[in-house]
């Protein structure tokens, strides 16, 4: 496989991403939408998730397709960002037909960023407006790093952020990932700034520093955050024609990428989850081989997207954590 033209989830044809953030709030929203509704599923593996409409994505439920997926900061307050996205989609005539009405289907998930130093003393919840603004900004090109739902993200060691990556398989399918990294664990291996995801790096998309030269196998991490303060939430997407059950299996496989890129991950204190999206543009040639390879690709692109989120994060006044670029940005790849 090789990286797509943009190395973003929007390399999957027909998908767009919009970001919106508030500098004072130190939080934001990211929205994935498409030209038409797409199949969606979800797999939750963290112990403290925050979701909206996630039960609707089970394969035995009535609705098989959604109009958008939302990733947001703000903890439970951020779930209201889906209201703004729904309002914007309804104005576009989008949504599940119920008589003369249209009900946009907009599942969402949140990260906790209420203790990151931003102004949280709002009177009216700011997230519905941020959600609608993000929807209106949806495009094929978008910013990663300190942007959208990753604007105020933190991890156990470094400043977090919004990441994305893509891959085009020899079969012709495209797979992409979008992720907000606000994890309890670490994306880097220690003092060298090398990424756990290094074995899956393509080119120098997150510095080209290679795998860690040293690792302490007996290391025992301490929880640097409290319950509810940590989460990595992601979307993996493909242009393959998948059923909702097949999409859920892709989400399950994608969690391997999270475990490769963040140590530790899927803890009791994290709300780790992965949405899967399938636009259905390309039929499966082989019902076994193709889903098998799509799951592997989803894990690879998610690991890369997580590293890119940390790598692309930029410093802002009032940061409570250093960003990777400030600490390690002057390093040269091996052999240079």
């Amino acid at each position: 496989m090789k990286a797509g033209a943009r190395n973003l989830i929007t390399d999957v044809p027909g998908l767009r991403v919009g970001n919106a953030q508030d500098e004072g709030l130190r939080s934001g929203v990211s929205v994935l939408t498409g030209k038409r509704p797409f199949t969606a599923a979800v797999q939750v593996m963290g112990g403290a998730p925050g979701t909206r409409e996630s039960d609707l994505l089970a394969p035995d439920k009535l609705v098989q397709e959604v109009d958008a997926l939302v990733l947001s900061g703000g903890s439970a307050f951020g779930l209201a960002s889906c209201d703004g996205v729904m309002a914007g989609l309804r104005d576009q005539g989008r949504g599940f037909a119920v008589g003369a009405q249209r009900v946009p289907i907009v599942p969402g998930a949140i990260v906790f960023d209420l203790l990151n130093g931003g102004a949280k003393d709002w009177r009216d919840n700011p997230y519905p407006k941020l959600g609608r603004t993000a929807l209106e900004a949806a495009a094929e090109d978008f910013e990663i790093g300190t942007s959208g739902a990753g604007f105020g993200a933190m991890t156990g060691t470094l400043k977090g952020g919004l990441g994305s990556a893509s891959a085009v398989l020899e079969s012709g399918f495209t797979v992409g990932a979008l992720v907000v990294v606000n994890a309890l664990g670490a994306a880097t291996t220690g003092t060298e700034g090398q990424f756990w995801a290094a074995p899956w790096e393509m080119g120098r998309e997150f510095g080209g520093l290679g795998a860690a030269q040293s690792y302490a196998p007996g290391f025992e991490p301490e929880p640097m955050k409290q319950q509810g303060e940590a989460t990595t939430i992601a979307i993996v997407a493909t242009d393959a024609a998948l059923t909702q059950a097949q999409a859920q299996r892709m989400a399950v496989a994608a969690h391997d990428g999270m475990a490769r890129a963040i140590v530790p991950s899927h803890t009791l204190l994290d709300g780790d989850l992965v949405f899967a999206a399938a636009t259905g543009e390309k039929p499966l040639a082989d019902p076994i081989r193709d889903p098998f390879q799509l799951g592997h690709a989803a894990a690879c692109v998610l690991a890369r997207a997580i590293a890119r989120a940390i790598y692309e994060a930029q410093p802002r006044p009032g940061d409570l954590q250093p960003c990777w670029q400030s600490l390690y940005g002057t390093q040269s790849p091996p052999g240079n």
Side-chain angles (χ1 to χ4, degrees):
M1 68 182 80
K2 60 182 180 181
R6 298 180 184 85
N7 202 14
L8 299 172
I9 196 172
T10 47
D11 284 323
V12 176
L15 294 183
R16 298 168 294 155
V17 170
N19 289 326
Q21 58 271 333
D22 184 309
E23 183 88 32
L25 185 66
R26 298 181 75 86
S27 187
V29 176
S30 297
V31 176
L32 176 80
T33 188
K35 295 180 179 179
R36 59 185 65 88
F38 50 86
T39 300
V42 68
Q43 180 69 23
V44 180
M45 291 187 68
T51 62
R52 170 165 163 161
E53 298 276 35
S54 58
D55 285 350
L56 193 64
L57 301 182
D60 64 334
K61 298 301 186 289
L62 171 65
V63 176
Q64 300 290 299
E65 296 182 319
V66 305
D67 297 289
L69 292 170
V70 176
L71 307 179
S72 179
S75 189
F77 297 104
L79 294 175
S81 61
C82 297
D83 292 339
V85 176
M86 286 184 68
L89 288 167
R90 187 172 186 237
D91 285 350
Q92 297 174 17
R94 299 276 299 270
F96 186 77
V98 184
Q101 298 297 320
R102 289 275 177 176
V103 181
I105 307 300
V106 183
I110 49 89
V111 299
F112 184 98
D113 58 7
L114 299 181
L115 299 178
N116 64 3
K120 316 297 185 185
D121 56 347
W122 66 77
R123 183 165 185 172
D124 297 316
N125 190 328
Y127 287 96
K129 182 179 179 180
L130 284 169
R132 180 153 190 162
T133 301
L135 175 68
E136 292 169 351
E140 292 179 336
D141 293 306
F142 61 95
E143 297 292 327
I144 62 174
T146 306
S147 186
F151 190 83
M154 300 192 297
T155 74
T157 55
L158 295 171
K159 187 172 179 177
L162 181 73
S164 192
S166 69
V168 180
L169 284 64
E170 289 186 1
S171 59
F173 294 116
T174 300
V175 178
L178 181 72
V179 61
V180 181
V181 184
N182 190 65
L184 178 68
T188 56
T189 60
T191 59
E192 304 95 347
Q194 290 156 311
F195 289 94
W196 289 112
W200 292 271
E201 185 176 14
M202 290 189 174
R204 297 178 178 176
E205 61 188 343
F206 42 89
L209 299 181
Q213 301 304 305
S214 62
Y215 169 59
F219 172 69
E220 297 183 9
E222 292 291 338
M224 303 303 291
K225 296 183 178 182
Q226 300 302 312
Q227 185 172 358
E229 294 181 12
T231 294
T232 299
I233 52 177
I235 303 169
V236 292
T238 181
D239 52 0
L242 301 181
T243 65
Q244 203 165 39
Q246 290 170 324
Q248 185 177 21
R249 290 309 308 176
M250 185 171 73
V252 171
H255 272 284
D256 288 351
M258 193 179 297
R260 295 169 187 171
I262 300 170
V263 179
S265 60
H266 304 133
T267 76
L268 180 65
L269 305 181
D270 286 285
D272 297 344
L273 67 81
V274 177
F275 290 112
T279 64
E281 296 294 324
K282 295 182 178 180
L284 299 179
D286 187 315
I288 301 298
R289 179 178 182 269
D290 288 338
F292 173 84
Q293 291 192 334
L294 290 169
H296 169 66
C300 293
V301 296
L302 182 52
R304 292 164 48 214
I306 288 169
R308 293 190 79 203
I310 305 302
Y311 179 76
E312 297 289 349
Q314 298 297 316
R316 289 287 192 279
D319 281 350
L320 300 183
Q321 289 182 316
C323 67
W324 188 95
Q325 289 292 339
S326 297
L327 295 178
Y328 309 112
T330 59
Q331 290 193 64
S332 299
N336 284 14

